[in-house]
Amino acid sequence: MKYNRLYAILMATTFSAAAMAETETSEIAAPAPDTEEQTEAAKYNMDNGVIPIADDRGFTLQSNDGSFVFKPYLFMQTILSYRYYDDEGLDKAYNQDNVANSGFAIPYAIIGFTGKAFGRIDYNVCVNAAASGGNVLQQAWIDYAAMPQLRFRVGKFKTPFTHAYLTTLGETLFPQLPTSLTAQAILPYSLNAVTPGIGTGFDLGVEVHGLIANKFGYEAGIWNGTGSSQNSATKGLSDDNHLPSLMYAARLTYQPKGAMPMTQGNPKMLHEDKMLFGLSANFNNEAESESTNDFRAGAEFAMLKGRWYVGAEAYYMHIGFTKRQKIDEGYNYWGAYAQVGYFVHPQWQLGLRYDFYDRNGSSKDGILNMPAASVNFFIPKTNIKLSAMYQYIGRTGHATQLDRDLDDLGICTHTAQLMLQYAF
C-alpha cells in the first residue's frame, strides 16, 4: 500500500510538471502582428531606451494573444579611459597631473524589466547599480495607448530633445555622447546654482505622443526640469511669469519611410531604408534654483541606408536670469555635430564625428571643435559589443589667449576609450 501511494504521488508530480511546461511554452510563443503598420508601431513603442526589445527579444514571456509581454533585461558597460588635460587650470604646486580621470569605469550596470499589459500599456522599470543618489532609478514609466496614434506616458523617461540622447543606449555609434551636449556652458558669474548644459536627458514628467500615418511623430509634455538625479517634487511657482517652475517640451518628427528605429548601428539591421527629420524645443522655467530661465531648440536628421548611418544635429540655448538676480543680460549658446557610420563587415562598424560647441556664448569669439573616430566590433551570437574611440578638443577663433585657455577648462584635450558592452 505504501509503494502504491509513492507511485501515485510520483505520477501526479510528473504530470503536473509536464502541464506547467506546456503552459509556459504556449506563453512564450508569440503570433506576428496582423499588419505592417502594427509591426512598425510595436517597434516604435517597445523601445525602452536601453536595449532593442522589438528587434531582438532574447528571453521574453508572452501570452498567446500578445496582450501581455514580460522581458527582464540587463545592460552593462565597462570602459577603460585615458584623458589628457592641457596645462591651463592645473596647479603644478599641488602636483596636479595632466593625466586625470583615467582608468576603468562602469557607467552602466542596468537591471530592469519591460513589456506590455492588456494590449494597451507599455511599461519599463530599471535601476543602474553603477550610479548613485537619484540616478540609481534610471527609468520608471508606464505608457497608455488610447489608440495607436494617441499615447500617454508618465514617470521617469527621456525628455524629447536631441537625437543623440533619444538613441537606444546600447546602439550608439560612439561610447561617448557629443561633448557639446554634456559639457557645461561658461557664464561670467560665479553662481554655484547656475551650471547649464544643452542636453536634458532623463527627467520626471508626463507627455502625450504618437505616430500618425506611420510618418508623423509628435511628443509634448511637462517635466520637473531637475534632471535624472532628482526623484522628488521640489518645484514651485515662478515669480516672473507666475507659471509652475517646470520644463515644457515638445518634439515633432517626419519619418517619410516609416518609423525609424532609434539606432546608430545594429548588425541585425543592415537592410533598412529609413529617414528622420525632427524639430524640438523646451523651456525650463526657473531652471537653476530660481536663478535662470533656460530655452532650448534643436533640429535633427538621421538616416539608415543599408550599411550606412548618417546623423546630424544643431541646437541652441538661451540663458535668461530672473528678475531677482538683477542681471539684465541674456546669454546664447549653440552646438552642432555630424557623424557617419559604415559597416565594412557585418560585425565591423567604423564611425567619424565632428562636434562644435560655442561654450563661452555668442557674445565672445571662439568655439570648440572636436573631431572623433570610432571602431565597433559586434561579437556574433553573444550580444557583446567592443568599441574604441579617440577624440581631440580643438579651439579656434578666440580673441585673446586667456579666452582660449578658459574655454576648455574641465574638458580633456585628448580622450581615448575602450568599451566592452553586454546586453541581454
Side-chain angles (χ1 to χ4, degrees), residues 326-358:
K326 296 181 173 60
I327 300 173
D328 294 332
E329 295 92 346
Y331 296 89
N332 301 295
Y333 304 85
W334 66 271
Y337 72 88
Q339 59 187 16
V340 59
Y342 180 71
F343 278 89
V344 295
H345 181 273
Q347 275 72 50
W348 288 91
Q349 183 188 31
L350 304 181
L352 293 173
R353 181 172 72 197
Y354 214 100
D355 188 14
F356 297 90
Y357 190 19
D358 185 17

Side-chain angles (χ1 to χ4, degrees), residues 162-178 260-267 269 301-304 307-313 337 339-343 349-351 353 374 376 378 385:
T162 69
H163 182 79
Y165 269 106
L166 293 172
T167 298
T168 301
L169 180 61
E171 300 201 359
T172 57
L173 183 61
F174 286 80
Q176 179 177 297
L177 285 166
M260 179 171 173
M262 298 305 290
T263 180
Q264 297 175 4
N266 186 324
M269 303 172 68
F301 167 77
M303 180 184 73
L304 289 173
R307 297 188 177 199
W308 287 95
Y309 159 77
V310 178
E313 286 195 88
Y337 72 88
Q339 59 187 16
V340 59
Y342 180 71
F343 278 89
Q349 183 188 31
L350 304 181
R353 181 172 72 197
S374 67
N376 298 320
F378 301 82
K385 176 182 177 181

Side-chain angles (χ1 to χ4, degrees), residues 247-327:
M247 186 176 75
Y248 306 83
R251 177 173 178 256
L252 298 174
T253 60
Y254 174 56
Q255 303 169 62
K257 300 181 180 182
M260 179 171 173
M262 298 305 290
T263 180
Q264 297 175 4
N266 186 324
K268 299 179 182 179
M269 303 172 68
L270 300 183
H271 304 285
E272 295 288 328
D273 185 10
K274 303 292 185 181
M275 190 176 296
L276 180 146
F277 302 88
L279 295 173
S280 57
N282 63 68
F283 177 69
N284 200 347
N285 193 19
E286 292 193 352
E288 288 88 23
S289 299
E290 303 180 346
S291 55
T292 69
N293 298 309
D294 303 345
F295 172 79
R296 299 174 178 87
E300 62 189 90
F301 167 77
M303 180 184 73
L304 289 173
K305 182 71 173 179
R307 297 188 177 199
W308 287 95
Y309 159 77
V310 178
E313 286 195 88
Y315 22 80
Y316 161 83
M317 178 174 65
H318 173 78
I319 303 296
F321 285 92
T322 59
K323 293 179 181 178
R324 71 174 63 191
Q325 297 296 326
K326 296 181 173 60
I327 300 173

Side-chain angles (χ1 to χ4, degrees), residues 54-74:
D55 299 307
D56 187 13
R57 289 185 176 271
F59 175 75
T60 304
L61 296 177
Q62 182 167 325
S63 62
N64 287 331
D65 61 359
S67 297
F68 293 87
V69 178
F70 177 81
K71 176 179 175 57
Y73 65 89
L74 63 87

Side-chain angles (χ1 to χ4, degrees), residues 5-150:
R5 290 177 181 175
L6 291 174
Y7 179 76
I9 293 172
L10 179 62
M11 292 299 295
T13 303
T14 302
F15 284 123
S16 298
M20 290 177 64
E22 182 178 358
T23 302
E24 183 178 2
T25 302
S26 65
E27 288 180 348
I28 293 177
D34 296 331
T35 66
E36 182 179 355
E37 183 176 353
Q38 290 176 350
T39 301
E40 295 291 351
K43 292 180 180 179
Y44 191 81
N45 292 313
M46 281 293 288
D47 180 17
N48 68 2
V50 180
I51 61 175
I53 302 300
D55 299 307
D56 187 13
R57 289 185 176 271
F59 175 75
T60 304
L61 296 177
Q62 182 167 325
S63 62
N64 287 331
D65 61 359
S67 297
F68 293 87
V69 178
F70 177 81
K71 176 179 175 57
Y73 65 89
L74 63 87
F75 177 85
M76 186 187 73
Q77 285 183 347
T78 300
I79 293 180
L80 173 61
S81 299
Y82 172 83
R83 294 184 173 94
Y84 180 91
Y85 295 80
D86 277 347
D87 289 337
E88 50 264 20
L90 300 180
D91 192 340
K92 298 300 183 179
Y94 290 92
N95 198 31
Q96 292 181 337
D97 198 354
N98 294 91
V99 178
N101 300 318
S102 300
F104 289 97
I106 299 181
Y108 297 103
I110 296 174
I111 302 173
F113 56 87
T114 188
K116 291 181 176 290
F118 304 103
R120 287 182 175 270
I121 294 176
D122 291 357
Y123 60 87
N124 183 40
V125 177
C126 64
V127 296
N128 183 8
S132 60
N135 287 316
V136 171
L137 179 64
Q138 201 222 27
Q139 295 185 68
W141 51 262
I142 61 171
D143 193 297
Y144 170 73
M147 59 182 70
Q149 300 81 13
L150 180 62

